[in-house]
Amino acid sequence: MASLTKAYIQQHRTTSHTYAAFGKLIIDAILDEAEAAVGTNSVNQLNVQIDFQVTPYTDKDCLRICISKANGETWCTNQFTDDVYKLD
């Protein structure tokens, strides 16, 4: 497996296609976190922390970006195919 380096990220930054499906997943994760944090209360503003993992994805020579959701699921995309999939 390749190491994640600044050069690897820069090399693969311009090979992105579309991130529409993963973008929706990010918005859903943010809203899930917001709902959990607010609970039955009411707030004027809320800061939400979301964890992402970035790794080399050597099977497709691209980057894999994963998000961990509040329910414990981890969803990923790789920039080469724009696939969105759940890690088991």
Side-chain angles (χ1 to χ4, degrees), residues 12-88:
H12 292 85
R13 180 183 297 269
T14 59
T15 59
S16 329
H17 294 263
T18 174
Y19 292 117
F22 197 64
K24 181 179 179 343
L25 184 68
I26 292 169
I27 296 298
D28 287 344
I30 291 168
L31 296 177
D32 289 347
E33 291 285 342
E35 286 179 2
V38 169
T40 59
N41 299 317
S42 173
V43 299
N44 291 327
Q45 179 178 324
L46 182 65
N47 293 326
V48 177
Q49 299 295 318
I50 303 287
D51 291 325
F52 291 92
Q53 302 85 36
V54 180
T55 57
Y57 190 62
T58 54
D59 292 350
K60 298 286 185 182
D61 188 30
C62 62
L63 293 169
R64 179 170 70 182
I65 302 170
C66 299
I67 183 171
S68 299
K69 295 184 64 179
N71 65 2
E73 294 176 346
T74 299
W75 288 84
C76 300
T77 187
N78 76 62
Q79 70 184 138
F80 183 76
T81 61
D82 196 31
D83 289 336
V84 175
Y85 52 92
K86 186 170 96 170
L87 285 184
D88 296 321

Side-chain angles (χ1 to χ4, degrees), residues 1-4 8 55-58:
M1 176 182 226
S3 294
L4 187 64
Y8 190 93
T55 57
Y57 190 62
T58 54

